[in-house]
Amino acid sequence: MERVPILKIGDILLVSIQVDMSDQTAVALQEDLAERIVDTGCHGVIIDITALDIVDSFVGRMLSTIASISKVLDAETVVVGMRPAVAITLVELGLSLNGIRTALNVERGMELIAAAHDDGFDDELEDEPDAETATP
Amino acid sequence: MERVPILKIGDILLVSIQVDMSDQTAVALQEDLAERIVDTGCHGVIIDITALDIVDSFVGRMLSTIASISKVLDAETVVVGMRPAVAITLVELGLSLNGIRTALNVERGMELIAAAHDDGFDDELEDEPDAETATP
């Protein structure tokens, strides 16, 4: 099974996804990332998807899961390098990657994480409607 | 054909090799890298091979070529993330990756490039014995 490498750069973990994600690879990546966040105490995860031609619902869900896990471990997740065609397909599929932050490239992602970590980065996410507490 | 993504981080270009390199992929990577070095004016290239289980002579030669191209374009190349087993195999194969600098991880690679760029980074490489000028 292929494992996606996780690179530590300063206070950030960088993951560049280049291979087709299988169930196993996705689960392994989530576990590895969670472990590395705890080991290193990093406050940010940048996921680069420059190499992906297609982001389907499986990958979309994986990104959401990673973002949720990271959030629980006090790390912000930013997805970078999305191709224009991928963005168009995502919207057409009705996948809006809720709760995931995006940036154009790694450098902007790093700025976003640095800024979010200074401010307390929960502010924006709190604005989303919460299905569980909404009145029927 | 798969293209290996090149990420710009500050003054450094980061390449994480995760797929099996074919001739075409290797040539495309060399061309893309040369172009990006010229476009960005970066002084360092870090090639991460954490994901590689095997570095054969083809990959070794590709790394050497990339290092040579980068050097001509005034950029230092550092290979990072080599697994212990890969290092052992390399030596057993008689491939010593001449002219290529290595570091344990991306952060150390960045330090190496920063230091090399301050000092003028040709000093160490000059110490290697040169087969062509050696007396028989």
Side-chain angles (χ1 to χ4, degrees):
Chain A
M1 192 195 58
E2 297 189 85
R3 283 186 112 84
V4 179
I6 300 169
L7 308 174
K8 180 173 177 295
I9 301 172
D11 191 32
I12 284 169
L13 297 175
L14 175 65
V15 180
S16 175
I17 295 179
Q18 295 173 28
V19 294
D20 288 331
M21 301 301 288
S22 67
D23 273 335
Q24 280 187 317
T25 320
V27 170
L29 175 59
Q30 288 163 14
E31 288 174 356
D32 290 350
L33 250 182
E35 208 169 293
R36 285 295 293 274
I37 292 172
V38 172
D39 284 352
T40 60
C42 283
H43 284 291
V45 175
I46 294 183
I47 302 178
D48 170 65
I49 57 170
T50 318
L52 296 187
D53 289 322
I54 297 167
V55 172
D56 55 13
S57 58
F58 175 72
V59 173
R61 206 163 52 238
M62 183 195 71
L63 295 175
S64 294
T65 309
I66 287 175
S68 302
I69 294 173
S70 306
K71 199 168 154 59
V72 174
L73 296 171
D74 193 23
E76 176 82 338
T77 304
V78 180
V79 172
V80 306
M82 191 183 294
R83 298 193 189 177
V86 168
I88 292 167
T89 314
L90 271 180
V91 172
E92 283 175 353
L93 286 173
L95 300 169
S96 54
L97 297 185
N98 273 330
I100 299 179
R101 294 199 177 176
T102 52
L104 269 186
N105 53 43
V106 176
E107 288 180 325
R108 296 209 188 172
M110 286 178 159
E111 288 166 15
L112 200 59
I113 287 173
H117 191 225
D118 288 344
D119 298 348
F121 41 73
D122 290 337
D123 315 349
E124 288 175 31
L125 293 178
E126 296 289 318
D127 296 334
E128 289 177 13
D130 188 346
E132 290 172 308
T133 58
T135 48
Chain B
M1 190 195 60
E2 297 189 86
R3 285 185 111 84
V4 180
I6 300 169
L7 307 174
K8 180 175 178 292
I9 300 172
D11 192 32
I12 284 168
L13 296 176
L14 176 65
V15 180
S16 176
I17 295 179
Q18 296 173 29
V19 294
D20 288 332
M21 301 301 288
S22 66
D23 273 336
Q24 281 187 316
T25 319
V27 170
L29 175 58
Q30 288 163 14
E31 289 175 355
D32 290 349
L33 250 182
E35 208 170 293
R36 285 295 293 275
I37 292 172
V38 173
D39 284 352
T40 59
C42 283
H43 285 291
V45 175
I46 293 182
I47 301 179
D48 169 66
I49 58 170
T50 317
L52 297 187
D53 289 322
I54 298 166
V55 171
D56 55 11
S57 59
F58 175 73
V59 172
R61 206 163 52 238
M62 184 194 73
L63 295 175
S64 295
T65 310
I66 287 176
S68 303
I69 294 173
S70 305
K71 201 167 152 61
V72 175
L73 295 171
D74 192 23
E76 176 83 338
T77 303
V78 179
V79 173
V80 306
M82 189 183 293
R83 298 191 190 179
V86 169
I88 292 167
T89 313
L90 270 180
V91 172
E92 283 175 353
L93 286 173
L95 300 169
S96 54
L97 297 185
N98 272 331
I100 300 179
R101 294 200 177 176
T102 52
L104 269 187
N105 53 43
V106 176
E107 288 181 324
R108 296 210 188 170
M110 286 178 159
E111 287 166 15
L112 200 59
I113 287 174
H117 190 224
D118 288 345
D119 297 347
F121 41 73
D122 289 339
D123 315 350
E124 288 177 33
L125 293 177
E126 299 288 317
D127 295 337
E128 290 176 12
D130 188 347
E132 290 172 308
T133 58
T135 49

